[in-house]
C-alpha cells in the first residue's frame, strides 16, 4: 500500500489579458526534420525525409530580343514587355504579296440612265475634258450667231421697206430712183449677211469637231470628221447634223432636252426652205405683186432664222459649259 501523496500546490492565475496556456513551440521549417504534413491513417509518424530539391529557375540575358525594325511597332500593346516591338500589328506577308506605297484607288461607280451609251470608268462622275480649247471657239460661234440674227432682223425691216416702196411705185407715188435705192441697200445687206453666215458656219464646224473629239468616242454614232462633213452632203445634211448634236448633248450631259434640240433643227430647216422658195420667187417674178410676195416670203424666212438662232446659241453655250466649264 503506497503512501498518500500531498496535494499539489495551486498554480497562480495568469494576469488579465495574458494567454491562459503557454504558446506551442515553434515549428521547424519543412524539410529540416521538423514539421511534416499530417500522416495518412496507418502511416507511422517519425523522422520525415527532406523535401525534394527543385532546379533553379532559368535566367535570361538582360537584353530583350527585338524584332526587325522594318515592322511598325505598337507601343503599349497588351502583353508586350517594355522595350519590345510588337510585330502582331502588321498583317502577315507571303511570297509574292503585292506592296503599295499608298492605298490603292478604284474607279467610282458610274450612274447611268436607261439607254445610256457604254462609257469608260469614271466618265459620268465628272465633265469630259476638252482635248483642245473649246470655250474660245464656242464664244466666237455664239457671237457670230447673235450678229447673224441681228442682221436677219435688219433684213426683215429692209424687206418691209421694199414692200412699201413697190406699192408706192405701183401707185405712182415714187419713181424708179426709190426702187434703185432699195436694191442697193438690199444687195449690200445680203452680201454682209452671207459673209457673217459663212464665218459663223466655219466657227460652228470647228467647235463641233473639237467637242466631238473631247467626249468619249463610245457615246457618238459618228467620228469627229463626220460631225463636220455631214453638213455639206446633200440629203445627209437633213438629219445627220441633228443626230450628231444630240450625241454631243448626251455624251457631255449638257442640259439640253430633246424638245429644245428638235425645235432648233425644225426651225433651221424651215427657214432654209422658206428662204429658198422666196429667192426662186424673186428671180422669176415679172410683176409688182410677184416681187411683193417674194419679199414677204423672205421676211418669214428671216423671222424663222432669228428664232432658230436663239436655240442654236443655247445649244452651243450649254454643250461648251458641260465639256469645258468656266474656271472658278
Amino acid at each position: 500500500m503506497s503512501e498518500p501523496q500531498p496535494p499539489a500546490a495551486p498554480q497562480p492565475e495568469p494576469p488579465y489579458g495574458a494567454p491562459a496556456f503557454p504558446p506551442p513551440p515553434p515549428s521547424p521549417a519543412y524539410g529540416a526534420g521538423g514539421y511534416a504534413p499530417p500522416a495518412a491513417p496507418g502511416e507511422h509518424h517519425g523522422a520525415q525525409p527532406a523535401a525534394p530539391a527543385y532546379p533553379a529557375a532559368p535566367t535570361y540575358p538582360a537584353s530583350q530580343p527585338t524584332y526587325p525594325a522594318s515592322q511598325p511597332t505598337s507601343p503599349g500593346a497588351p502583353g508586350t514587355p517594355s522595350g519590345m516591338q510588337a510585330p502582331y500589328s502588321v498583317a502577315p506577308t507571303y511570297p509574292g504579296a503585292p506592296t503599295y506605297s499608298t492605298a490603292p484607288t478604284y474607279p467610282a461607280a458610274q450612274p447611268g440612265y436607261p439607254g445610256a451609251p457604254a462609257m469608260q470608268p469614271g466618265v459620268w462622275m465628272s465633265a469630259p475634258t476638252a482635248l483642245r480649247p473649246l470655250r474660245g471657239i464656242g464664244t466666237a460661234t455664239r457671237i457670230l450667231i447673235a450678229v447673224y440674227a441681228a442682221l436677219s432682223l435688219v433684213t426683215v425691216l429692209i424687206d418691209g421697206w421694199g414692200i412699201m416702196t413697190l406699192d408706192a411705185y405701183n401707185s405712182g407715188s415714187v419713181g424708179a430712183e426709190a426702187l434703185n435705192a432699195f436694191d442697193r441697200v438690199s444687195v449690200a445687206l445680203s452680201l454682209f449677211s452671207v459673209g457673217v453666215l459663212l464665218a459663223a458656219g466655219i466657227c460652228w464646224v470647228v467647235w463641233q469637231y473639237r467637242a466631238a473629239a473631247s467626249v468619249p468616242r463610245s457615246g457618238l454614232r459618228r467620228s469627229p470628221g463626220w460631225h463636220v462633213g455631214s453638213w455639206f452632203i446633200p440629203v445627209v445634211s437633213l438629219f445627220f447634223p441633228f443626230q450628231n448634236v444630240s450625241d454631243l448633248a448626251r455624251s457631255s450631259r449638257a442640259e439640253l432636252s430633246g424638245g429644245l434640240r428638235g425645235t432648233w433643227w425644225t426651225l433651221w430647216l424651215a427657214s432654209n426652205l422658206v428662204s429658198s422658195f422666196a429667192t426662186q420667187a424673186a428671180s422669176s417674178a415679172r410683176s409688182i405683186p410677184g416681187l411683193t410676195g417674194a419679199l414677204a416670203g423672205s421676211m418669214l424666212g428671216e423671222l424663222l432664222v432669228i428664232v432658230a438662232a436663239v436655240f442654236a446659241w443655247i445649244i452651243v453655250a450649254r454643250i461648251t459649259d458641260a465639256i469645258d466649264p468656266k474656271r472658278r
Side-chain angles (χ1 to χ4, degrees):
M1 183 172 180
S2 61
E3 295 179 0
Q5 299 291 332
Q11 298 292 334
E13 294 184 358
Y16 180 77
F21 303 97
S27 300
Y30 174 71
Y35 172 77
E43 184 178 351
H44 176 71
H45 287 275
Q48 301 297 328
Y54 295 96
T59 59
Y60 297 94
S63 60
Q64 297 290 346
T66 58
Y67 296 92
S70 60
Q71 299 182 359
T73 61
S74 299
T80 303
S82 176
M84 295 183 63
Q85 299 176 344
Y88 50 78
S89 61
V90 182
T93 59
Y94 54 89
T99 58
Y100 303 96
S101 57
T102 58
T105 58
Y106 301 93
Q110 303 179 28
Y113 58 90
M119 310 298 288
Q120 299 299 325
V123 164
W124 293 112
M125 300 309 295
S126 59
T129 303
L131 298 181
R132 297 183 62 185
L134 191 64
R135 180 157 295 280
I137 189 65
T139 301
T141 303
R142 295 199 304 271
I143 291 175
L144 290 173
I145 289 174
V147 171
Y148 184 71
L151 290 175
S152 295
L153 180 60
V154 175
T155 302
V156 170
L157 299 177
I158 296 299
D159 287 344
W161 172 43
I163 291 175
M164 291 187 296
T165 301
L166 286 172
D167 290 341
Y169 177 80
N170 193 31
S171 63
S173 301
V174 296
E177 295 80 6
L179 293 178
N180 292 333
F182 164 73
D183 288 338
R184 289 192 296 269
V185 173
S186 179
V187 170
L189 181 60
S190 297
L191 292 176
F192 188 63
S193 297
V194 170
V196 173
L197 178 61
L198 182 61
I202 293 174
C203 289
W204 179 287
V205 295
V206 172
W207 166 82
Q208 188 170 346
Y209 180 88
R210 293 187 181 182
S214 299
V215 299
R217 180 67 180 85
S218 58
L220 304 178
R221 280 171 278 193
R222 299 175 187 90
S223 65
W226 265 105
H227 277 246
V228 175
S230 61
W231 285 96
F232 306 100
I233 301 176
V235 181
V236 169
S237 61
L238 296 177
F239 54 93
F240 270 27
F242 171 73
Q243 294 177 348
N244 295 337
V245 172
S246 297
D247 290 346
L248 288 178
R250 284 192 295 267
S251 297
S252 64
R253 303 197 73 187
E255 297 180 359
L256 293 172
S257 63
L260 189 149
R261 289 181 275 112
T263 302
W264 157 70
W265 190 243
T266 301
L267 290 172
W268 173 252
L269 293 180
S271 65
N272 281 273
L273 183 63
V274 173
S275 297
S276 178
F277 284 154
T279 301
Q280 293 179 2
S283 61
S284 61
R286 297 293 183 268
S287 62
I288 298 297
L291 290 175
T292 302
L295 289 176
S298 176
M299 292 176 64
L300 177 59
E302 297 297 335
L303 290 174
L304 292 174
V305 166
I306 294 172
V307 183
V310 174
F311 287 96
W313 194 97
I314 295 174
I315 289 173
V316 174
R318 293 187 179 179
I319 292 179
T320 300
D321 289 339
I323 298 177
D324 190 8
K326 293 180 180 180
R327 292 176 177 81
R328 294 177 172 82

